[in-house]
Amino acid sequence: REIIMITTKVYSKPTNHRPHTPSKPFLFGNLILLFSVITMTINSHNFMMKSIEHSTKLMAAKATIREAYHEELWSISEEGTKRISKRNIEDEEFLKRDCFRARNTTVPRDMYGKLPRPYINLGFPKMGTTSLHGFFGCGGYRSVHYRCNVTTSCGDCLKEQASRYYNAHGDDHSNTNDDIRNINRDNPPPLTLRTCGHSDMYAQIDNGMYFPQIELLPDLLNSLPNATFFITFRSMHMWWKSLKAWPPSEPIRKMNNILRNINITGLPEGKGRDLREMSEWFCWHVERVRDLLDNSGGNGDRNQYLVEVDIEEEG
């Protein structure tokens, strides 16, 4: 076998090739660019150093001012803390009074399970009224809370009874706290909760704006010679906290502010600004209820008893 190999040679045209040499203008432009970069770098460095120096001085000045401020603030805070601590000590001493402690000796043992109905809570809102209502309802008793019937609060019902009675007897008074408070007590009105709504327990008789347990207390006691009255207790700190948080749907109009502005007997308008003032009002009410009801059970024509309940006490 014959193999024929063909070799092809490609010849290129010889050229005269030599390295490219940059022109002088090109070299001069590059030198200017390089010089500009170096100059900018130096300027940036100098600016950065000056900025660091300025920041250091500024931070030192701020530190000096801050130190002086904290020294002054500490002095003010220390003095303020002393005043607050003194007030807190006074408040805590005040809160040790007997009017903030529920007594368990107000009902004779032979009356256990025999207390006359109706049961009427003379305590304040946010003092366990809902718990009291639930307790009696769970025990099979008829209990109402706030509203004595579907449409009317117990407070409104009692206030209307008192106003209607005095208007009929020549005392022309509108339905305001001051008017009911200042009426002639020589002929007290016959009040009855049963016409407001028939129940065994009336767990809250105020409506948050009008307080029959205060404004009509003597009239209630005269009108209900056979009844058991309750008054609830709790920590004043927790009560104050609860007042400031209720109702949760109102960001500003809280119960503590409402109570300050409705001019209740014992809590004139503007009072109730803090824990101490609100506690003084509660203490005044407790002492008043005790003065009117202590030793009343079985005396004369009255068969009234006072039950004091600490809603935070276990057992």
Side-chain angles (χ1 to χ4, degrees), residues 38-56:
I38 293 172
T39 303
M40 290 175 60
T41 303
I42 294 172
N43 290 339
S44 298
H45 176 73
N46 292 337
F47 177 77
M48 183 174 64
M49 294 303 294
K50 287 181 180 180
S51 297
I52 293 173
E53 182 181 0
H54 177 72
S55 298
T56 303

Side-chain angles (χ1 to χ4, degrees), residues 26 47 65 77 110 124 147 154 170 213 220 268 280 307:
F26 178 79
F47 177 77
I65 295 173
S77 176
D110 61 352
F124 286 165
R147 292 193 181 278
C154 301
Q213 65 266 49
L220 277 172
E280 288 173 345
V307 178

Side-chain angles (χ1 to χ4, degrees), residues 74-310:
W74 172 257
S75 176
I76 296 173
S77 176
E78 188 176 21
E79 183 64 27
T81 301
K82 288 180 182 178
R83 289 197 299 268
I84 293 172
S85 298
K86 183 179 179 182
R87 178 63 185 269
N88 286 343
I89 291 172
E90 292 174 351
D91 288 348
E92 292 305 319
E93 287 298 318
F94 174 73
L95 294 177
K96 291 179 181 178
R97 295 178 59 177
D98 183 60
C99 56
F100 300 109
R101 303 287 181 270
R103 304 173 302 175
N104 58 7
T105 57
T106 57
V107 178
R109 288 189 173 274
D110 61 352
M111 287 302 298
Y112 284 10
K114 303 176 184 177
L115 291 173
R117 303 180 200 177
Y119 308 133
I120 303 164
N121 181 27
L122 301 176
F124 286 165
K126 310 312 296 177
M127 274 275 186
T129 57
T130 303
S131 299
L132 203 63
H133 171 61
F135 176 81
F136 277 86
C138 184
Y141 292 89
R142 289 169 296 185
S143 178
V144 293
H145 178 266
Y146 181 79
R147 292 193 181 278
C148 276
N149 56 57
V150 177
T151 60
T152 309
S153 70
C154 301
D156 287 335
C157 179
L158 288 171
K159 187 176 182 179
E160 177 61 28
Q161 286 184 46
S163 296
R164 188 167 55 246
Y165 177 83
Y166 283 110
N167 289 340
H169 287 76
D171 290 311
D172 186 15
H173 295 285
S174 59
N175 291 345
T176 66
N177 285 0
D178 287 330
D179 291 332
I180 297 297
R181 185 182 304 134
N182 297 323
I183 53 182
N184 185 352
R185 294 296 185 189
D186 293 336
N187 190 21
L191 301 176
T192 172
L193 279 163
R194 295 199 182 278
T195 59
C196 303
H198 190 73
S199 185
D200 298 311
M201 161 56 82
Y202 298 86
Q204 181 177 344
I205 61 172
D206 64 85
N207 59 11
M209 297 290 289
Y210 180 72
F211 289 76
Q213 65 266 49
I214 293 178
E215 312 301 349
L216 300 175
L217 179 59
D219 301 331
L220 277 172
L221 300 185
N222 289 331
S223 301
L224 298 165
N226 297 290
T228 302
F229 298 91
F230 284 71
I231 189 164
T232 50
F233 295 75
R234 71 181 299 191
S235 159
M236 288 292 102
H237 292 282
M238 296 304 297
W239 183 48
W240 176 242
K241 182 179 179 180
S242 184
L243 289 176
K244 292 191 296 181
W246 186 265
S249 59
E250 292 285 346
I252 298 176
R253 190 174 167 78
K254 299 299 184 181
M255 183 168 286
N256 64 307
N257 294 323
I258 294 173
L259 294 176
R260 284 180 57 190
N261 296 314
I262 56 178
N263 194 25
I264 313 167
T265 298
L267 191 72
E269 188 173 356
K271 292 282 284 185
R273 296 169 297 178
D274 52 28
L275 168 68
R276 176 61 179 262
E277 291 185 352
M278 201 64 76
S279 299
E280 288 173 345
W281 179 49
F282 174 79
C283 183
W284 168 83
H285 176 61
V286 170
E287 290 178 341
R288 184 176 180 228
V289 169
R290 286 174 174 174
D291 287 343
L292 292 172
L293 279 172
D294 271 358
N295 303 318
S296 64
N299 289 337
D301 58 351
R302 291 193 180 188
N303 187 31
Q304 297 172 328
Y305 294 89
L306 175 63
V307 178
E308 300 184 359
V309 180
D310 186 334

